[in-house]
Amino acid sequence: MPRIAVLDKDRCKPDDCRLLCMRVCPKVKTGDEAIIIDEETGKPVISELLCSGCGICVKKCPFNAISIINLPEEIGEPVHQYGINGFRIYSLPTPKNAVVGIVGSNGIGKTTVLKILAGELKPNLGSNAEWSEILERFRGNEIQNYLEKLASGEVKAVYKPQYVESIPRYVEGTVRNVLEERDESGRLENIVEALDMDSCMGKDVNSLSGGELQKMAIAACLIREGDVYLLDEPSSYLDVSERLNVARAVRELSGSNVFVIEHDLVVVDYLSDYVHIIYGKPGAYGIVSNIKGVRVGINEYLSGYLKSENVRFREELSFSVATPSEISKRSELVKYPPLEKKYPGFDLRVDEGVLYKLEVVGVLGPNATGKTTFVKMLADVIKPDNREIGCNLNVSYKPQYIKPSAETVRCLKLKTCVIKKLGLAHLLESRLDELSGGELQRVAVADCLSRNADLYLLDEPSAYLDVEERLRLAKYLRRFSEDNKSSVLVVDHDILLIDYLSDRLMVFSGESGRHGRASESLSLRDGMNLFLKEMNVSFRRDLDSGRPRANKPNSIKDREQKKKGEYYYTR
Ligand code: ADP
Ligand code: ADP
Ligand code: SF4
Ligand code: SF4
């Protein structure tokens, strides 16, 4: 059985632990060089041949930097490995002249495979392979032709990077300038309309919100002519209708090779023809599954079992719709009258309503329609224009955008139970500005939940979290509200997450930055119906997994459901 040893070089701090792994390794003690020191970096190098796999160093390393894993024989050699004791990826996705979704945890190798397909990273087969060896390895495979083209530099790849926040650092001018320069296909005007970008075309790139940057980056990708289009997490910062617009625009390219990495499963489902699942151990190794039809693939991903491979890669991510607790048994946290608030150019109206203790309320609605303003009124940070509420709740708030400082996670004084539940123990010594997007998000959520409050507001906690982290967070938030006898309001645009965590739902509507209107908190069914009617999209439930799936526009189901006014919950 091949054994791999992977060292996370960012986490490894030999000066702090005085090379504990070497000191505890039984093989080193008896004179074998199972672990030696790299003279250049001062960090350990683990020999996969000499290591016996006892796992003592893995347990003892104070920074969780080592993984020792036995893999099945059939796995063969990796397609690519980042150096000695580095992460490795086995097999590659298949280009299909269709839209192929790629799902998997953070750190499992999704970006690595996109880089290989883009020709940015030459696969090294674990060491230093030449193209001739790579082509030999994939002879007779569906991907052989594609790799031949990559080897001869004939593939033109168009890439939408994951992190859009950094775009203003290397792109200047107005959105229109930026996009016109890149319009190779003449599709610009169509795409501007499809993504509803009219209002931001004249803005300077420096002044864009996260959502506007995301749409510009996607448009810049879709207007180019390429052999392959690679989109890394296109839905971050976008609200539900924007996500669906993007999905429809991407589908227009469905005759080309399109790969999309995405953690919003409703979006993956809506835009893809096929999916690949990447499984393994984050940070250590990833295996790309066979290509699967989109419905079956997503269900297998949630179930943790790949049928054609006969592989169980984790326990099922159980997916059950929340059974709303009986409201009559709950005590009120706050009862508020109809509220109004005006800012220059913006007005908000909130229907009167009640929030109960011990409940999680999902909040759906476009960006900039007054969700934060509403919560600030409850917290008495700002006064409504029409009357006093006088409830003076203690509120803890996680904003949508998180600016990391240079201090360490430990400085935030997170509560021990929250650290444990959100799996952050290994990050305590890390600096906030060195965390990955998903890590920073979990730390920001933990920071919000570690304060004492009556009401917690989490604004888009799913951004940069993978599917597993999203569903685990949902489960934890439900537990948290019960244990802390508090209420949690979660604003998010991932419908699957909202469906999974909400006892009830508030729906904000209106026009971003101009008018906002908030409903009282409704049952999940009524809230979803109200929201989806506004979006003009109907959803059904998957018969096998129970997850929500968007109906294709104008399909028989779509027409039937809309006629009945059943935008949601219909089986
Ligand atoms: P994902 O896109 O699924 O989050 P990535 O492909 O970005 O995963 O990364 C997979 C693993 O490879 C991570 O552990 C990452 O730290 C490691 N990795 C990525 N790029 C490099 C690199 N250039 N050198 C060494 N390790 C890398
Ligand atoms: P959301 O939380 O739904 O994204 P917000 O409540 O943050 O929306 O903001 C709604 C609108 O009110 C936005 O257009 C925002 O620019 C505006 N706004 C919020 N606070 C102020 C303020 N203090 N002064 C002027 N305008 C504001
Ligand atoms: Fe220390 Fe862990 Fe690095 Fe070994 S792997 S040197 S125990 S931090
Ligand atoms: Fe040494 Fe055991 Fe670690 Fe292998 S797993 S390097 S034998 S301590």
Side-chain angles (χ1 to χ4, degrees):
M1 197 175 263
R3 173 170 306 125
I4 65 168
V6 181
L7 177 75
D8 185 327
K9 296 186 182 72
D10 293 335
R11 283 191 198 159
C12 169
K13 297 187 178 74
D15 292 342
D16 293 359
C17 70
R18 292 181 297 118
L19 286 160
L20 185 59
C21 50
M22 269 189 97
R23 289 186 281 126
V24 296
C25 174
K27 297 285 268 187
V28 172
K29 280 183 191 165
T30 54
D32 279 340
E33 294 194 318
I35 306 183
I36 56 169
I37 300 170
D38 181 336
E39 283 184 5
E40 222 171 90
T41 61
K43 296 187 179 181
V45 177
I46 304 167
S47 159
E48 291 171 359
L49 277 177
L50 297 175
C51 163
S52 70
C54 72
I56 294 175
C57 59
V58 178
K59 283 202 198 89
K60 291 283 181 188
C61 169
F63 300 106
N64 260 313
I66 305 176
S67 303
I68 308 274
I69 301 155
N70 294 321
L71 292 173
E73 206 71 60
E74 319 77 84
I75 196 167
E77 296 302 317
V79 174
H80 188 77
Q81 176 171 347
Y82 290 115
I84 299 172
N85 294 151
F87 175 89
R88 49 212 95 177
I89 189 87
Y90 296 84
S91 59
L92 287 174
T94 319
K96 267 284 188 201
N97 282 337
V99 182
V100 179
I102 298 184
V103 290
S105 307
N106 285 331
I108 203 83
K110 300 181 298 301
T111 305
T112 300
V113 297
L114 281 205
K115 284 188 179 158
I116 293 174
L117 294 171
E120 242 180 72
L121 182 68
K122 183 180 152 202
N124 61 15
L125 302 187
S127 51
N128 208 3
E130 291 301 321
W131 270 114
S132 55
E133 292 168 71
I134 299 162
L135 295 177
E136 186 56 36
R137 156 105 180 248
F138 286 94
R139 185 174 299 281
N141 239 297
E142 219 176 326
I143 198 175
Q144 181 186 348
N145 260 342
Y146 186 86
L147 290 176
E148 280 169 1
K149 277 194 181 171
L150 262 187
S152 54
E154 287 169 51
V155 173
K156 181 176 167 202
V158 183
Y159 185 50
K160 201 286 301 167
Q162 179 184 13
Y163 293 107
V164 293
E165 304 84 338
S166 54
I167 291 174
R169 273 192 251 138
Y170 54 88
V171 177
E172 281 180 354
T174 63
V175 176
R176 180 166 291 287
N177 298 145
V178 171
L179 293 179
E180 278 177 354
E181 258 172 42
R182 290 163 175 76
D183 187 14
E184 296 166 353
S185 62
R187 289 194 288 261
L188 178 59
E189 291 314 318
N190 287 348
I191 294 205
V192 167
E193 195 186 336
L195 301 186
D196 198 11
M197 291 179 64
D198 255 341
S199 61
C200 73
M201 292 300 280
K203 290 191 191 172
D204 195 275
V205 172
N206 265 315
S207 69
L208 300 181
S209 68
E212 289 168 333
L213 278 172
Q214 183 69 271
K215 287 199 273 184
M216 184 184 82
I218 293 167
C221 178
L222 302 185
I223 55 181
R224 295 183 60 201
E225 293 286 9
D227 301 301
V228 60
Y229 295 83
L230 307 156
L231 292 107
D232 201 343
E233 297 196 33
S235 72
S236 312
Y237 297 125
L238 300 185
D239 63 31
V240 175
S241 71
E242 291 169 327
R243 288 176 189 205
L244 296 173
N245 288 343
V246 165
R248 289 183 204 113
V250 171
R251 285 222 52 84
E252 298 282 311
L253 291 176
S254 60
S256 324
N257 292 319
V258 186
F259 289 97
V260 183
I261 295 178
E262 182 51 60
H263 297 298
D264 180 332
L265 287 186
V266 166
V267 173
V268 178
D269 191 26
Y270 194 60
L271 64 71
S272 315
D273 300 295
Y274 302 96
V275 291
H276 278 289
I277 291 152
I278 309 191
Y279 61 99
K281 182 164 193 276
Y285 76 101
I287 302 173
V288 182
S289 77
N290 299 338
I291 196 159
K292 295 166 191 283
V294 65
R295 187 184 89 85
V296 168
I298 292 177
N299 285 353
E300 289 189 8
Y301 181 62
L302 288 169
S303 77
Y305 176 69
L306 304 176
K307 204 165 174 194
S308 59
E309 291 88 344
N310 188 19
V311 166
R312 171 155 297 284
F313 60 94
R314 66 159 151 66
E315 289 305 299
E316 180 168 17
L317 287 175
S318 59
F319 185 83
S320 60
V321 187
T323 17
S325 328
E326 281 178 52
I327 286 176
S328 58
K329 286 192 192 144
R330 300 194 157 195
S331 53
E332 278 177 22
L333 174 73
V334 57
K335 188 171 190 173
Y336 51 87
L339 304 172
E340 290 173 16
K341 183 77 197 168
K342 279 198 172 73
Y343 286 121
F346 178 78
D347 60 84
L348 169 67
R349 270 176 36 207
V350 182
D351 291 349
E352 69 180 312
V354 184
L355 295 176
Y356 295 91
K357 288 183 186 165
L358 298 169
E359 73 174 359
V360 182
V361 178
V363 181
L364 280 171
N367 288 327
T369 48
K371 298 176 291 287
T372 314
T373 304
F374 164 67
V375 173
K376 283 187 179 162
M377 289 194 284
L378 291 184
D380 208 24
V381 175
I382 54 175
K383 303 267 182 229
D385 294 340
N386 58 330
R387 61 203 301 170
E388 290 279 325
I389 320 180
C391 59
N392 199 7
L393 287 179
N394 201 356
V395 171
S396 176
Y397 170 55
K398 183 206 80 73
Q400 183 182 11
Y401 302 105
I402 312 160
K403 279 206 193 84
S405 65
E407 62 184 5
T408 63
V409 175
R410 188 180 289 286
C411 296
L412 295 177
K413 301 203 166 31
L414 306 176
K415 282 188 179 162
T416 317
C417 55
V418 179
I419 292 175
K420 197 167 157 212
K421 288 290 182 190
L422 294 176
L424 300 172
H426 63 283
L427 296 177
L428 288 176
E429 306 310 328
S430 307
R431 274 172 46 167
L432 292 167
D433 57 359
E434 288 176 355
L435 298 178
S436 71
E439 289 167 344
L440 183 63
Q441 184 68 260
R442 283 186 292 139
V443 168
V445 169
D447 186 35
C448 173
L449 300 181
S450 292
R451 292 185 218 124
N452 288 327
D454 309 303
L455 176 65
Y456 295 83
L457 172 73
L458 301 170
D459 200 348
E460 232 196 313
S462 76
Y464 297 123
L465 297 191
D466 63 38
V467 178
E468 300 184 22
E469 289 166 336
R470 287 174 193 211
L471 294 182
R472 284 199 192 105
L473 175 69
K475 218 173 210 170
Y476 176 51
L477 289 176
R478 297 183 63 81
R479 223 11 233 286
F480 178 88
S481 80
E482 280 169 27
D483 292 351
N484 286 273
K485 310 229 175 327
S486 53
S487 308
V488 183
L489 236 61
V490 181
V491 179
D492 211 283
H493 306 300
D494 181 328
I495 289 192
L496 191 113
L497 176 86
I498 289 288
D499 186 58
Y500 189 54
L501 63 66
S502 308
D503 291 303
R504 290 186 307 136
L505 209 58
M506 268 185 90
V507 179
F508 279 69
S509 53
E511 208 183 321
S512 293
R514 287 170 184 266
H515 315 284
R517 171 80 196 255
S519 75
E520 60 175 322
S521 62
L522 302 161
S523 71
L524 196 56
R525 180 193 176 114
D526 290 348
M528 282 290 192
N529 263 326
L530 177 69
F531 175 71
L532 294 174
K533 194 167 182 182
E534 197 117 335
M535 300 283 111
N536 195 25
V537 187
S538 63
F539 273 68
R540 66 193 182 286
R541 281 196 181 276
D542 182 67
L543 289 180
D544 294 330
S545 64
R547 69 187 160 92
R549 305 188 71 198
N551 291 320
K552 299 272 184 277
N554 248 331
S555 61
I556 296 175
K557 273 222 154 20
D558 183 51
R559 278 182 279 140
E560 266 176 21
Q561 285 186 223
K562 283 179 178 167
K563 203 164 151 202
K564 281 194 263 172
E566 284 279 2
Y567 284 73
Y568 207 62
Y569 261 36
T570 307
R571 291 209 160 259

